[in-house]
Amino acid sequence: MYASVKKMTGWYLGVGMAALFIGGSIGPFQKLEHVGINLYPSLQSVGLNNYYQGLTIHGVLNALVWTTFFIVGFLTFTTVHSLKRELTHPKLNWASFYVMVIGLVMAAVPVLLNAATVLFTFYPPLQASPYYYIGLTLVVIGSWVGGWGMFLTLRAWRKENPGETTPFIALASNITMAMWQIATLGIAIEMLWLIIPWSLGLVDGVDPQLARTFFWFTGHPIVYFWLLPAYVSWYGMVPKQIGGKLFSEPLARLVFWLFLLLSIPVGLHHQYVDPGVPQGWKVVHAVLTYSLFIPSLLTAFNVIASLEIGGRARGGTGLLGWIRTLPWDNPSFTAQNLAMILFAFGGIGGLTNASYNLNLVIHNTIWIPGHFHLTVGSGVTLTFFGIAYWLVPKLANKPLFSNKMALWQAWTWFVGMLLMSNGLHILGLNFGAPRRTMLGIAPYASSDWQPLLIEAALGGIILGVSGLLFYINMIGTVRSKQTLTEAIKMPVAEPMEVHPTPAWLDTWRPWVVATLVLIAVSYGPLLVYLISNLNMTSPGFSNLWGG
Ligand code: HAS
Ligand code: CU
């Protein structure tokens, strides 16, 4: 069924996974460098020149490429399977894929040549080859086009089914893509107005403060663009996979609308220490960031309640006895549940980050990579692995190569990430160890750091092994000679109680208008201030790393 989207999703996932394979393999080298084992000189034969080039590849391929390709592919798939209708314009969605691939290649070449060693946040005045920026911009534009293909399909469905409530999975997937379209306006302006002309040499200088502000306009909501597809699965699919029901579907819809509303106007929580941003606006964004906890805590409540319904339906009793009866032999569930647990710790750390004054303690320390490996590196990536454990067999029409290996993969990721993130968090909080630094040669590195660095390195190596198990399983599945005896269907959770969905939870206009108004209020005056004090004065700095 839905042959066009099947092939397309396969391609998106394949490119995303290939990116993660390369980006992920560099992780263990970083951790080894921190304990003084510098393998980069011996990696020059494969084109890896130094730690910072490796870190750029790691960040760009993992955080930007793996996520975006997986998400656009997955959400195209979920839109079609949830609406139970083909894409209205499959060519448009294919165009999205090709534009993204062209952009990826354009950005990857300079990165691999050490001509774009500017890390995944590409803050000016560090300057990369223009191809890097143009390539990344094309990836974003491609993802927009993919979103348009989904919106047109949803619109057609609504016309064909007047008066019907949009199925939850399709609604949630499209809200995620709509949020992304608005969120990426910041990076689009940063690239087209400030960075690309400057990297092409058309203008001499750039305004780093304004560029950072546009970057974080997109850079915060991007984390929810990564997270929300995982939430689509936690709400919309996991309850079905465990034989339970979704505790409250209206609440789940409300959560997605709240993320549309609140994801964007909070970017300044990445800029608390920026001298050029007036303090009052930082406080406004801090308060709005706290309000973002509401949809996440609603999610924790709703998802755990759904897990409990499933566990009890399987015969679990007692206060916590239902946890044991969950299907721990199902790798798709296990990976996602372990992802949720890791994500809860990442979320708690997020509260620390968001607290204006506490942020000063951990900002730019290695605590931050501790935080985002629990969120995007676990909550998101381990969930995507869990999804791949049913979706790739479905797309390939072949059984999963090894159930047992997949279970090992999920648990080793869990243990590796616990060790690594624990080490990183404590190093940042207690010792102020900096992030993005060759700690192995830092003269100020104290011997007190060593046990924690070793703990983190051990975690990193376990994660490397876990990653390999994932890839063996994926390749084994795709190359298997067996075919499925029974077709796999996308799991779709039923709500525990069927209530008619209130109209305001299935109406776009008020939510989109409110979102735009809140952005205008929280960013408008600040942008007017920064633009009226425009300082296009900084030249570019490049080749700092011996490129
Ligand atoms: Fe963050 C920095 C604040 C969430 C990713 N974040 C980053 C960076 C990344 C990132 C990549 O305020 C670094 C960027 C860079 O390179 O500089 N973050 C937050 C806050 C949240 C948050 C308030 N972050 C995320 C998510 C990410 C992500 C999600 C990726 C996917 N973050 C910050 C701040 C900074 C920051 C500052 C800047 C720091 C600095 O100074 O540079 C919140 O959204 C978190 C809310 C989440 C929760 C958890 C709810 C728990 C759930 C699971 C429940 C289920 C369970 C299962 C437990 C409150 C939903 C139970 C199972 C049973 C069997 C019972
Ligand atoms: Cu943020």
Side-chain angles (χ1 to χ4, degrees), residues 1-63:
M1 253 205 304
Y2 313 124
S4 71
V5 79
K6 191 171 173 181
K7 200 165 151 197
M8 192 185 296
T9 307
W11 275 103
Y12 277 113
L13 262 57
V15 176
M17 286 179 191
L20 182 68
F21 181 78
I22 302 171
S25 348
I26 294 172
F29 297 122
Q30 287 157 199
K31 288 286 146 289
L32 287 172
E33 192 287 332
H34 288 167
V35 291
I37 306 171
N38 183 3
L39 296 177
Y40 291 92
S42 53
L43 291 168
Q44 281 179 352
S45 54
V46 292
L48 200 60
N49 291 280
N50 56 59
Y51 173 84
Y52 291 98
Q53 187 194 5
L55 192 56
T56 303
I57 299 174
H58 183 74
V60 170
L61 291 184
N62 295 357

Side-chain angles (χ1 to χ4, degrees), residues 50-126:
N50 56 59
Y51 173 84
Y52 291 98
Q53 187 194 5
L55 192 56
T56 303
I57 299 174
H58 183 74
V60 170
L61 291 184
N62 295 357
L64 305 181
V65 178
W66 146 248
T67 48
T68 310
F69 273 84
F70 187 97
I71 291 165
V72 178
F74 178 57
L75 296 185
T76 313
F77 178 92
T78 54
T79 299
V80 165
H81 281 257
S82 172
L83 296 177
K84 299 198 174 66
R85 93 182 290 302
E86 287 278 9
L87 291 166
T88 48
H89 299 74
K91 283 197 181 132
L92 193 65
N93 290 78
W94 275 113
S96 145
F97 174 74
Y98 290 125
V99 173
M100 283 172 67
V101 170
I102 294 169
L104 169 60
V105 173
M106 260 179 110
V109 171
V111 170
L112 297 174
L113 293 175
N114 197 22
T117 296
V118 293
L119 306 179
F120 84 112
T121 42
F122 46 88
Y123 291 145
L126 278 184

Side-chain angles (χ1 to χ4, degrees), residues 216 219-221 223-224 266-267 269-270 289 371:
W216 287 115
H220 178 75
V223 313
Y224 296 117
V266 297
H269 67 225
H270 293 266
T289 306
H371 164 68

Side-chain angles (χ1 to χ4, degrees), residues 120-121 216 223-224 226-227 231 234 269-270 289 293 296-297 299-300 304 307 322-323 326 337 340-341 343-344 347 350-351 353-354 359 363 368 371-372 375-376 380 435-436:
F120 84 112
T121 42
W216 287 115
V223 313
Y224 296 117
W226 300 333
L227 181 68
Y231 277 11
W234 295 359
H269 67 225
H270 293 266
T289 306
F293 279 90
S296 280
L297 293 180
T299 301
I304 295 176
L307 292 177
W322 54 270
I323 297 177
L326 290 169
N337 203 352
M340 293 173 197
I341 295 169
F343 178 64
L351 187 58
N353 302 348
N359 180 274
H363 181 67
I368 302 296
H371 164 68
F372 67 65
T375 50
V376 63
V380 173
R435 68 184 284 200
R436 300 178 151 176

